[in-house]
Amino acid sequence: MNQYKKDFPVFENKPCVYLDSAATAQRPGSVIEAEKYFYENMNANPLRGLYELSMAATDAYAEARTCVKDLINASEDAEVIFTRNTTESLNLAAYSYGLNFVHEGDEIVTTVMEHHSNMLPWQMVAERTGAKLIYLEPEADGSFSKEELDSKITDRCRLIAIAQVSNVLGCVNPVKELAKRVHKNGGIIVVDGAQSVPHMKVDVRDLDADFLAFSGHKLMAPFGIGVLYGKRELLEKMPPFLTGGEMIEYVRLDGATWAELPHKFEAGTVNPAGAYGLKAAIEYLQGVGFDHIRETEDSLTKKIFGEFSKLPYIHIYGSPDPLQHTGIVSFTIDGVHPHDIASILDADKVDIRAGHHCAQPLMDYLRVGNTARASLYLYNDEEDVDSFLASIKKIRKIMGFQD
Ligand code: PMP
């Protein structure tokens, strides 16, 4: 058994084989306790009150921001903006940066493999500004050929928006190289880190990312807390996304001036309990270590690939190399709808995802309506994979095939 599994109360309370961590991760007890501790010991509206409880909430919120800054190696706390999730973070970048700094005739480059959350905001920016939206198309293994990059990233490219890890293919995209290309033209890169930050060391300065968005809930933090990292020089010149309480310096009847970063982008009452839980999640993650996470995910993915290769009716999407999947295995079974795969597995208490994974254009590109997806995380073990595989091997028979 995986030594970390016992840290997750859900596995004791509701025993299951959880293979849907790309949708949301399970939470260790320490994260659940941290959020509870906040409400029991520090609950007040932070950044407002001048009494002890409110100051404790303010401190907890600030400590969480520093913890995120260190995790992604941002230069300063002010570059870390708390949001609700990746989707809100990407919309903040699109509305506040995109609508104001991308113009008619400019080009925005994204990819056909993006999650809708990193596609629709850029469609909106292109439509409203008159910029051209260009989609990079990957090879079957998820990589982009040099010709594809050379022909589609021109000197008119002002912005690249790309996932660091695809939530369907699991491939790691060449963010650092793309950042270099776009910076040469004076453009910027927006990185969707929803599937990368929970699984690998992401260093915004090493990548030279201008923006990085991610969700707490995929890295074991509570729901409702997310992050947008942005370089200070960009955040300074952007107008606020939302306006109202807490994000102002001074309000007059005829206008207002904005608070310092990061508060300019955090309108209204914030989520200090979620941020405190996020800090606990990051500490847990760091205790396990990204090397260990990678080893666990890789060895289990290898096992799945090994067994799947013996079953000719199973097709895996993305690279044939299990080590290029960041623990994400999207697949189909001939003659069986992915929803039936998920339902049959559910009867065996094996939880996977089936559907378009909020990536319909990628499904079209792959010429598949839906896929099943198993996604791994640090608490999964050989027993989980054995149960998954045993259940998978029964499916064709249940559906009436004589293999
Ligand atoms: N981008 C990617 C690559 C994702 O996998 C997801 C979540 N499935 C998102 C964005 C959106 O995350 P959220 O729903 O937490 O905003």
Side-chain angles (χ1 to χ4, degrees), residues 47 70 76 81 104 150 163 170 181 200 246 255 293 339 389:
L47 312 164
D70 292 340
E76 47 173 324
I81 297 158
E104 193 172 354
D150 287 346
R181 281 184 183 247
M200 60 182 66
E246 283 311 314
I293 294 173
H339 287 163
L389 292 168

Side-chain angles (χ1 to χ4, degrees), residues 21-24 83-90 113-118 162-168 192-196 213-218 223-226 328 353 357-358 373:
S21 296
T24 198
T83 62
R84 282 186 305 139
N85 49 39
T86 306
T87 305
E88 185 175 303
S89 298
L90 292 167
M113 72 169 80
E114 297 311 306
H115 188 282
H116 299 160
S117 294
N118 197 31
I162 189 164
Q164 190 171 13
V165 170
S166 159
N167 64 315
V168 176
D192 173 352
Q195 299 294 348
S196 59
F214 61 97
S215 298
H217 71 92
K218 292 185 202 282
F223 284 120
I225 188 84
I328 290 176
R353 184 76 173 267
H357 314 292
C358 299
R373 181 187 70 188

Side-chain angles (χ1 to χ4, degrees), residues 31 60 77 86-88 101 112 126 169 210 234 255 265 272 339 343 380 385 387 390 395:
V31 168
D77 289 7
T86 306
T87 305
E88 185 175 303
F101 298 97
V112 299
L169 304 175
D210 297 286
L234 300 178
F265 291 106
H339 287 163
S343 298
N380 290 121
V385 169
S387 307
I395 289 177

Side-chain angles (χ1 to χ4, degrees), residues 76 78 99 113 128 234 241 254 313 333 336 348 381 401:
E76 47 173 324
L99 288 185
M113 72 169 80
R128 291 204 196 170
L234 300 178
F241 172 40
D254 63 351
Y313 50 78
I333 298 183
V336 188
D348 290 339
D381 54 22
F401 293 92

